[in-house]
Structures are given as structure tokens and as C-alpha cells.
Amino acid sequence: MREGFKTILKFLEDDVASEVEQERLYNKFALAAQNTSVQTLFNNLSRSARGHRDAMDKLIKNIAQDDHNVILYCTLCGWGVDFGKSPFVGNEERCPVCCQKFALVETDGDFSLKPLPQ
Ligand SMILES: [Fe+2]
């Protein structure tokens, strides 16, 4: 597992657990519903939760396999600063909008930006 994604992975794993629970509840509600339109509603909600879970599982997998660009928001203008896939701490990139130069740093398992002199 790559370093630098500690908090993001924690949020994604929590969200996956939430979607799994929602899917379980929607399926339960669909089975208990007396009205077919209500059953359809809960079946659709269940399918939606499963889709969200699958998307987050894919993102977690991509991060684990280094198949995910590391893009952090510029601390000056808010644009994305793209360090590409599998960057190393200390790599340097410029914001494509304001041209501020940054170094990629890691603090407590999370990537962040360190502004560099121009
Ligand atoms: Fe910027």
C-alpha cells in the first residue's frame, strides 16, 4: 500500500461500510414493502448503494495498486496540482494556473504540499 493516502483511505473504507449497510437495509425494506412501487423504490436505492460501494472499492483498489494520480489543491489558487501516479515525497510540481512551485510532502500518512520559493 502506498503511503500518503491514510485519511482518504479511512474515509473511503468508512463510506464502503456505510453503503453496505444501506444496501442491506434497502433490501430489507423492499422485501417488507406491501406496495410494488415502494418495493421498486427500495430496490433502486439498493442498486444505487451497491454502485457507490463498487466505485469506492475500485478507487481503493486503484490507490493500492498505484494506479491513481496524486492531485492536491494548490494552497494559493485552489487549482489541482498533479503529481501523477506513484510520486515520491520530495517530487516538485508547479500549479498550472498560478505557477507556484510545490514539493510533495507526507505528514502522518497523508500527502500535502509544501510551497517552494519561486
Ligand atoms: Fe495555484
Side-chain angles (χ1 to χ4, degrees):
M1 176 70 56
R2 289 282 302 181
E3 298 296 320
F5 293 97
K6 180 182 173 185
T7 300
I8 289 171
L9 286 172
K10 172 75 173 98
F11 287 154
L12 287 170
E13 289 162 0
D14 288 351
D15 286 345
V16 166
S18 172
E19 296 293 345
V20 167
E21 178 62 9
Q22 288 176 41
E23 182 182 359
R24 186 189 70 77
L25 287 172
Y26 292 143
N27 285 333
K28 181 178 170 183
F29 296 158
L31 286 173
Q34 304 291 315
N35 182 306
T36 55
S37 61
V38 173
Q39 287 177 332
T40 300
L41 170 71
F42 283 118
N43 284 329
N44 288 340
L45 288 170
S46 173
R47 190 169 43 252
S48 177
R50 189 169 45 253
H52 296 152
R53 182 201 63 201
D54 291 346
M56 286 183 275
D57 277 341
K58 182 178 179 188
L59 187 52
I60 291 169
K61 180 181 164 194
N62 288 346
I63 290 171
Q65 296 175 344
D66 285 340
D67 189 20
H68 181 75
N69 280 30
V70 174
I71 302 173
L72 300 170
Y73 292 114
C74 174
T75 55
L76 294 180
C77 75
W79 203 259
V81 180
D82 190 346
F83 285 85
K85 295 177 181 167
S86 306
F88 293 97
V89 169
N91 283 15
E92 297 178 1
E93 289 292 337
R94 284 192 186 275
C95 173
V97 173
C98 72
C99 297
Q100 172 64 47
K101 192 174 186 180
F102 293 98
L104 185 66
V105 296
E106 183 183 334
T107 306
D108 296 328
D110 292 318
F111 286 134
S112 61
L113 297 175
K114 177 184 174 189
L116 297 174
Q118 293 296 324

